[in-house]
């Protein structure tokens, strides 16, 4: 019986390995630097992770359905630049929906290519990464974008304000996580996303429109990107046209760290939120310990590669021991 | 040959294996003599595959010991077991589909030259020699993913012949083989046996067991129930040991009041797969489709279900012509298809039992915008009871169920759609004799309650048992439709070998 108990604990640790590692890591940093666990530091980490987090929520849908989205970083730059530009031309109340429509159109294009034409998502979204970057540069004429009258607009309130002491970005991240989490876990659409990623052929045999489901996941992803762009623009009220560069990999890393599988069919919104926070705290911790910015990059990526390797190793173990 | 003066090649003693919520093996002992074919039987979920996985190093037992000859051994991994002379041919195929046949046969033990370079010449020569022994019609350079299921099975078997085996385990090897391929397999088994290899043979097919085995051991609910000498027993005794009762295996004799025509197929063709197929199906009727593998039966089913586009012909449902572009259309028209291959087409192995069963109707099981847990569990419970699905709870991942119970999940999934026309393709593949007759009865019952059913099967007894009429197919053509009164084993065999072309009825 005691043997059984240790086995169960062992199995739990193996399943939740990343969470356990995270806790140990937090304790380590807290001992090294007391600032790390200060409430304002924690709040700061969550706030600065919120934009990445919002994007990761959408990518979670894409990854569970068995695809990738590497275009979210450059798409976020696009959204940010567009909304800043339109802000001065149309006013914020029109600029925001216009920007959402344009970003969703990009998502729909990717969804069409990957879902209906069944092109490889890695290739399509990698291509879109460049194409959208070019689009952004063309749109902005290569210049940075700034709101002219920064004091006279309510636009900044979204990213800078707070409700009941909760900063806007955290609030929006939290609300979106709740809505999308429930969508994924509780609605027929969510179920279909898992089915398509788990076994696409069996999903089709079950009458699930795989193409449409994949298309929808990219719409969800681009909606999240638009939201992230809005937060970014509103927080800074001005932006470089490369603001989202490289974020696609960090987003993917957060999703995988949370435990979604690159092979599709598994993962949850909650796990992704955990992944986002882990990534945020790792970077913050390394900073507080006094590591140089560029060393941080290396360490972060080592951790991410480790996580992906763990994921693949676990899956491979399963594939080699078929179940019947 | 007396058992007393010979030592077993292999002995298992008091094996216990538990999974969360399941005691899969409860102190099972078994010994296999050299040169013996030892059949292992039992219901779905009785623990046969689990016992063999313990032996093959895929699972570690909680208790119990394994002996090879006199020596106690620990099977740390499949490679370890293979090195100790125990070779395992799995129930579900476990091949690397992107690799060549030769690479698969020698996976993990590729022959090497200096500096660890693979010795391709030797690899292919050795592989070809094995394939020749198995009478395979393909070479060692073929890519596994492009082979038929039966040929993949042969590759799996070829793997067993690469080492000097003391014992070879076959877990339901014939589930997807044609009769001709079966003959080859039995020759291979006879060959191994002559060399003094001990063989464990798992199958639900009585006729095979009685054809090739020397002894039969029976498991029930994870417990050992006894061993019988094949020569001294009969099917009925084995069945009773397995399920505690006898079975009625008679042919279908009842006549159900037939309803209106539910499905009409007129001159349906699909490229080279089948041509000019016409038949009617009435509510309350079971139409069997019998033929050799590759005769086009599955392709007809897939066309009706919207997975293939017909090149000619019409489909009429309840007298109205319909075009079916996708499974979604088919489902909306009241068609269901239990597909041939449960693992790749029928199930999402990483999903739980309940979600798999309700997947096609998840849109309709909602309370507000959400999937209704209660409605889903009610459906799961209903079909778990009706089909006697063995699982600790609906939360169990389908991938963790025994092969036969997985098949029952697929059947439950499509029955729960309450279709007007139900097509089942090899419905009892891998299902134990008890549940098989349950499923046959269920098909009869469904017909009686007004469903129109098409049963595709490669097993003649099955077709004869459930069908009101039998359609015989040969090489993409519908040769003849027999009524239950007309059909005999002889004229059926003739029809599916293309011999009765002149007696064809339109
Ligand atoms: N990895 C696993 N995790 C949890 N339960 C398992 C696992 N493997 C097997 N089981 C359970 O153990 C029991 C025995 O399964 P096993 O596959 O050995 O049956 P079987 O006799 O081979 O049946 P079949 O004839 O259907 O193939 C079943 O109840 C099954 O659900
Ligand atoms: Mg089995």
């Amino acid at each position: 019986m005691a043997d059984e108990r240790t086995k169960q604990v062992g199995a739990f640790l193996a399943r939740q390995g990343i969470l356990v590692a995270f806790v140990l890591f937090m304790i380590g940093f807290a001992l090294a630097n007391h600032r790390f666990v200060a409430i304002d530091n924690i709040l700061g980490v969550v706030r600065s992770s919120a934009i990445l987090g919002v994007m990761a929520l959408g990518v979670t849908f894409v990854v569970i359905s068995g695809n990738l989205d590497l275009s979210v970083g450059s798409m976020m730059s696009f959204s940010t630049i567009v909304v800043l530009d339109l802000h001065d031309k149309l006013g914020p109340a029109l600029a925001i929906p216009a920007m959402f429509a344009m970003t969703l159109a990009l998502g729909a294009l990717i969804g069409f290519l990957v879902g209906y034409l069944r092109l490889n998502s890695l290739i399509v979204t990698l291509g879109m990464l460049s194409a959208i970057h070019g689009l952004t540069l063309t749109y902005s004429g290569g210049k940075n974008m700034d709101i002219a009258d920064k004091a006279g607009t309510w636009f900044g309130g979204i990213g800078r304000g707070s409700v009941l002491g909760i900063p806007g970005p955290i609030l929006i991240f939290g609300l979106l996580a709740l809505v999308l989490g429930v969508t994924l876990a509780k609605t027929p659409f969510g179920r279909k996303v898992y089915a398509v990623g788990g076994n696409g052929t069996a999903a089709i045999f079950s009458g699930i429109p795989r193409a449409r489901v994949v298309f929808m996941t990219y719409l969800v992803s681009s909606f999240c990107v638009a939201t992230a762009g809005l937060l970014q623009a509103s927080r800074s009220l001005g932006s470089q046209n490369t603001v989202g560069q490289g974020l696609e990999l960090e987003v993917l890393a957060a999703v995988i760290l949370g435990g979604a599988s690159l092979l599709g069919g598994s993962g949850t919104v909650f796990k992704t939120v955990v992944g986002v926070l882990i990534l945020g705290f790792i970077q913050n911790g390394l900073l507080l310990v006094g590591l140089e910015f560029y060393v941080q990059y290396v360490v972060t990526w080592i951790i991410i590669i480790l996580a992906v390797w763990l994921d693949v190793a676990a899956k491979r173990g399963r594939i080699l021991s078929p179940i019947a | 040959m007396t058992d007393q003066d010979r030592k077993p090649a292999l002995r298992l003693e008091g094996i216990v294996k538990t999974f969360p919520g399941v005691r899969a093996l409860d102190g099972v002992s078994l010994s296999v003599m050299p040169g013996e074919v030892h059949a292992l039987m039992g219901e779905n979920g009785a623990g046969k595959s689990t016992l063999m996985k313990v032996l093959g190093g895929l699972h570690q037992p909680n208790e119990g010991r394994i002996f090879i000859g006199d020596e106690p051994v620990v099977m740390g991994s499949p490679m370890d077991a293979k090195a100790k002379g125990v070779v395992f041919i799995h129930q579900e195929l476990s091949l690397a589909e992107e690799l060549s046949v030769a690479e698969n046969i020698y996976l993990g033990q590729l022959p090497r030259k200096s500096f660890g370079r693979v010795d391709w010449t030797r690899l292919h020569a050795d592989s070809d020699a094995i394939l020749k022994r198995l009478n395979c019609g393909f070479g060692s350079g073929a890519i596994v993913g492009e082979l038929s299921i039966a040929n993949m099975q042969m590759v799996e078997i070829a793997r067993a012949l690469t080492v000097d085996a003391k014992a070879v385990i076959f877990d339901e090897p014939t589930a997807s083989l044609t009769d001709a391929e079966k003959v080859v397999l039995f020759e291979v088994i006879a060959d191994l046996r002559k060399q003094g290899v001990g063989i464990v043979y798992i199958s639900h097919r009585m006729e095979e067991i009685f054809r090739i085995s020397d002894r039969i051991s029976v498991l029930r609910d994870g417990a050992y129930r006894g061993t019988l000498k094949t020569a001294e027993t009969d099917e009925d005794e084995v069945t009773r040991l397995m399920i505690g009762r006898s079975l009625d295996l008679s042919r279908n004799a009842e006549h159900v009041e037939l309803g209106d025509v539910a499905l009409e197929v007129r001159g349906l063709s699909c490229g080279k797969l089948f041509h000019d197929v016409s038949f009617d199906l009435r509510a309350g009727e079971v139409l069997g489709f019998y033929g050799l593998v590759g005769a086009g039966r599955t392709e007809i089913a897939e066309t009706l279900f919207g997975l293939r586009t017909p090149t000619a012909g019409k489909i009429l449902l309840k007298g109205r012509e319909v075009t079916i572009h996708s499974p979604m259309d088919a489902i909306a028209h009241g068609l269901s298809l239990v597909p041939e291959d449960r693992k790749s087409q029928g199930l999402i192995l990483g999903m739980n039992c309940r979600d798999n069963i309700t997947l096609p109707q998840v849109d309709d099981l909602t309370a507000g915008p959400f999937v209704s847990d209660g409605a889903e569990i009610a459906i799961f419970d209903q079909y778990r009871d009706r089909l006697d699905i063995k699982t600790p709870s609906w939360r169990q991942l389908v991938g963790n169920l025994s092969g036969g119970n997985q098949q029952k999940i697929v059947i439950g999934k499509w029955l729960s759609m309450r279709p007007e026309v139900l097509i089942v393709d090899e419905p009892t593949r891998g299902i134990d004799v008890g549940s098989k007759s349950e499923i046959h009865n269920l098909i009869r019952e469904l017909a009686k309650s007004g469903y129109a059913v098409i049963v595709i099967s490669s097993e003649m007894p099955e077709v004869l048992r459930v069908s009101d009429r039998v359609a015989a197919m040969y090489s993409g053509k519908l040769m003849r439709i027999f009524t239950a009164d007309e059909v005999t084993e002889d004229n059926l065999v003739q029809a599916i070998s293309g011999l009765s072309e002149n007696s064809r009825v339109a």
Side-chain angles (χ1 to χ4, degrees):
Chain A
M1 221 53 243
D3 189 42
E4 196 78 336
R5 176 69 47 81
T6 42
K7 243 190 214 155
Q8 277 173 14
V9 173
F12 175 80
L13 290 185
R15 256 201 324 274
Q16 309 293 338
I18 286 169
L19 213 56
V20 174
F22 176 55
V23 170
L24 292 178
F25 175 90
M26 292 285 280
I27 294 171
F29 275 124
L31 291 178
N33 188 331
H34 291 295
R35 277 264 312 126
F36 189 64
V37 284
I39 201 78
D40 61 327
N41 186 54
I42 290 180
L43 214 60
V45 171
V46 178
R47 178 160 53 189
S48 61
S49 301
I51 290 179
L52 182 94
V54 166
M55 290 159 78
L57 296 177
V59 171
T60 303
F61 280 67
V62 174
V63 168
I64 292 174
S65 78
N67 293 304
L68 286 174
D69 193 348
L70 294 178
S71 70
V72 291
S74 86
M75 204 190 282
M76 193 272 248
S77 308
F78 174 80
S79 308
T80 308
I81 293 299
V82 166
V83 79
L84 286 173
D85 176 62
L86 294 183
H87 178 277
D88 285 2
K89 290 181 182 152
L90 307 174
L94 277 179
I96 295 173
M99 177 275 278
F100 267 79
M102 289 166 80
T103 312
L104 282 170
L106 290 175
L109 175 60
I110 299 176
F112 175 75
L113 295 174
V114 177
Y116 289 94
L117 299 191
R118 307 209 43 191
L119 302 181
N120 180 296
S121 67
L122 178 74
I123 308 293
V124 168
T125 59
L126 209 52
M128 286 301 275
L129 187 160
S130 299
I132 297 174
H133 184 55
L135 192 65
T136 312
L137 291 181
T138 315
Y139 185 95
S140 65
K143 295 192 301 280
N144 295 337
M145 207 58 83
D146 264 304
I147 288 180
D149 178 16
K150 290 189 176 152
T153 176
W154 53 264
F155 185 70
I158 303 167
R160 298 175 164 192
S162 63
V163 180
L164 301 171
I166 308 170
I170 297 187
L171 197 69
I172 289 176
F173 177 38
L175 274 178
L176 204 56
L178 195 70
V179 171
L180 292 180
V182 169
T183 303
L184 195 53
K186 299 277 180 209
T187 65
F189 170 65
R191 184 72 58 77
K192 291 176 191 172
V193 173
Y194 283 104
V196 165
N199 182 349
T201 309
I204 290 175
F205 270 78
S206 300
I208 290 177
R210 173 162 79 176
R212 194 189 305 160
V213 172
V214 170
F215 177 80
M216 289 297 294
T217 62
Y218 281 102
L219 276 193
V220 172
S221 179
S222 60
F223 178 85
C224 290
V225 169
T227 310
L230 175 65
L231 288 174
Q232 178 66 38
S234 145
R235 198 171 69 177
S236 52
L237 296 181
S239 174
Q240 296 182 320
N241 46 36
T242 53
V243 55
Q245 205 166 45
L247 276 185
E248 59 280 338
L249 290 179
E250 278 187 57
V251 163
L252 192 61
V255 173
I256 301 297
L257 268 178
S261 166
L262 277 181
L263 302 176
S266 72
T268 65
V269 164
F270 175 74
K271 285 180 177 173
T272 291
V273 171
V274 172
V276 168
L277 294 180
I278 291 177
L279 204 61
F281 278 108
I282 289 175
Q283 287 172 347
N284 175 256
L286 294 174
L287 201 72
L288 287 185
V289 175
L291 280 185
E292 298 279 358
F293 188 62
Y294 45 84
V295 182
Q296 260 192 65
Y297 265 120
V298 178
V299 176
T300 310
W301 281 102
I302 289 176
I303 291 170
I304 289 163
I305 288 168
L306 217 63
V308 175
W309 175 72
L310 277 177
D311 169 55
V312 174
K315 271 277 152 66
R316 201 170 282 155
R318 267 219 336 253
I319 289 166
L320 284 187
S321 59
I323 326 149
Chain B
M1 160 172 100
T2 53
D3 293 346
Q4 283 78 7
D5 50 64
R6 294 174 61 223
K7 289 218 176 88
L10 181 82
R11 198 149 58 83
L12 294 160
E13 215 178 78
I15 304 286
V16 174
K17 176 72 197 171
T18 59
F19 297 108
V22 191
R23 197 169 175 87
L25 294 172
D26 193 7
V28 176
S29 302
L30 189 75
S31 62
V32 182
M33 296 292 164
E36 171 190 46
V37 177
H38 196 128
L40 190 56
M41 298 198 72
E43 291 175 283
N44 296 128
K48 304 177 297 292
S49 297
T50 306
L51 185 65
M52 292 304 113
K53 282 180 189 168
V54 166
L55 182 56
L58 282 157
H59 289 320
Q60 294 309 312
N62 303 63
E63 285 168 38
R65 291 191 296 173
I66 303 172
F67 296 88
I68 292 196
D70 287 329
E71 225 181 297
V73 291
V74 174
M75 301 297 193
S77 69
M79 283 299 161
D80 192 18
K82 202 166 177 183
K84 292 186 170 113
V86 174
V87 179
F88 191 176
I89 294 157
H90 291 280
Q91 179 171 13
E92 312 283 333
L93 296 167
S94 55
L95 298 168
E97 305 212 337
E98 302 82 24
L99 297 184
S100 70
V101 169
E103 286 166 297
N104 267 285
I105 294 178
Y106 282 94
L107 199 68
Q109 46 181 13
L110 296 174
R112 302 285 174 165
K113 294 194 288 197
S114 54
F115 304 113
R117 289 172 302 148
V118 174
D119 186 346
W120 293 106
T121 336
R122 216 181 100 208
L123 174 66
H124 283 284
D126 290 357
S127 306
D128 279 324
I130 294 175
L131 293 178
K132 191 143 171 258
R133 221 170 115 196
L134 291 173
N135 259 324
C136 290
F138 53 91
S140 62
I143 299 300
V144 164
E146 290 164 8
L147 299 177
S148 69
I149 303 248
N151 282 338
M152 289 193 200
Q153 186 86 48
M154 295 313 269
V155 175
E156 189 91 53
I157 292 166
R159 276 177 166 180
L161 307 179
T162 61
V163 291
D164 192 15
K166 294 201 174 61
V168 179
I169 302 160
F170 291 90
D171 194 351
E172 297 193 38
T174 55
S176 44
L177 294 190
T178 63
D179 287 335
E181 287 161 333
K182 261 184 234 174
V183 171
V184 176
L185 173 69
F186 293 159
E187 277 166 14
V188 172
I189 290 178
D191 222 34
L192 287 169
R193 183 179 173 193
K194 239 178 275 158
Q195 297 162 21
V197 177
I199 290 170
V200 181
Y201 189 88
I202 300 177
S203 173
H204 291 294
R205 298 195 174 153
M206 287 284 186
E207 73 279 3
E208 285 171 13
I209 300 276
F210 277 85
R211 184 157 150 202
I212 66 164
S213 76
D214 299 305
R215 291 194 295 164
I216 303 171
S217 287
V218 175
L219 293 184
R220 186 162 168 202
D221 288 334
Y224 171 75
R225 295 306 302 258
T227 301
L228 304 165
K229 286 213 171 73
T230 310
E232 297 166 9
T233 184
D234 56 21
E235 295 193 10
D236 200 43
E237 190 181 7
V238 177
T239 307
R240 265 182 288 129
L241 202 56
M242 270 171 63
I243 63 177
R245 63 191 157 84
S246 302
L247 289 174
D248 160 33
L249 296 167
S250 56
R251 274 176 63 166
N252 171 38
E254 58 182 6
H255 285 281
V256 183
E257 198 66 24
L258 294 188
D260 296 334
V261 176
L263 171 70
E264 286 169 73
V265 173
R266 293 279 163 265
L268 198 67
S269 307
C270 183
K272 291 198 193 106
L273 298 168
F274 58 87
H275 359 252
D276 197 17
V277 169
S278 301
F279 62 88
D280 289 349
L281 180 65
R282 289 173 175 276
E285 183 182 39
V286 180
L287 176 60
F289 269 81
Y290 187 65
L292 298 173
V293 172
R297 299 163 304 161
T298 296
E299 288 74 13
I300 292 179
E302 288 175 352
T303 308
L304 291 175
F305 199 59
L307 289 156
R308 292 176 189 275
T309 314
T311 46
K314 285 196 282 194
I315 302 170
L316 290 83
L317 285 167
K318 288 204 240 161
R320 278 199 303 133
E321 185 171 351
V322 293
T323 36
I324 299 171
H325 294 293
S326 67
M328 255 190 307
D329 287 350
I331 291 169
H333 282 117
L335 277 159
S336 278
L337 170 66
V338 174
E340 187 178 21
D341 181 349
R342 62 169 168 264
K343 204 175 161 191
S344 73
Q345 303 167 334
L347 294 169
I348 298 173
L349 293 177
M351 220 180 218
N352 68 43
C353 296
R354 180 196 72 181
D355 295 0
N356 263 285
I357 285 192
T358 57
L359 192 57
Q361 52 180 322
V362 67
D363 278 324
D364 301 325
L365 296 176
T366 47
F370 303 126
V371 182
S372 153
D373 259 355
E376 281 195 293
I377 293 171
I379 289 180
F380 170 78
D381 283 345
Q382 186 187 347
Y383 287 89
R384 179 200 54 206
D385 295 344
R386 189 154 175 198
L387 299 174
D388 192 23
I389 299 171
K390 288 211 182 74
T391 167
S393 91
W394 62 260
R395 290 189 180 81
Q396 181 72 288
L397 298 186
V398 162
N400 286 339
L401 297 189
S402 79
N405 283 303
Q406 291 182 358
Q407 180 70 15
K408 290 181 185 175
I409 296 271
V410 186
I411 293 176
K413 160 162 135 181
W414 289 110
L415 279 189
S416 70
M417 294 300 291
R418 309 180 168 284
E420 275 159 37
V421 177
L422 174 68
I423 308 170
V424 290
D425 197 351
E426 304 288 357
T428 60
R429 178 175 285 171
I431 285 199
D432 68 56
V433 285
S435 310
K436 195 166 179 169
S437 89
E438 298 286 306
I439 287 175
H440 292 162
N441 292 341
L442 188 73
I443 290 174
R444 293 300 322 162
E445 235 176 76
L446 290 171
K448 224 187 276 179
S449 60
Y451 292 73
V453 188
I454 293 177
V455 176
I456 299 171
S457 175
S458 305
E459 288 182 53
M460 190 181 301
E462 177 161 284
V463 171
L464 294 179
R465 191 161 136 65
V466 300
S467 312
D468 295 303
R469 289 187 298 149
V470 181
M473 294 227 20
Y474 167 72
S475 151
K477 275 182 290 206
L478 182 55
M479 303 304 286
R480 186 173 163 187
I481 298 181
F482 298 91
T483 65
D485 299 330
E486 290 167 352
V487 68
T488 64
E489 296 194 8
D490 285 341
N491 58 22
L492 199 50
V493 166
Q494 240 179 33
I496 65 154
S497 356
L499 296 177
S500 59
E501 196 123 21
N502 42 5
S503 66
R504 182 173 176 192
V505 288

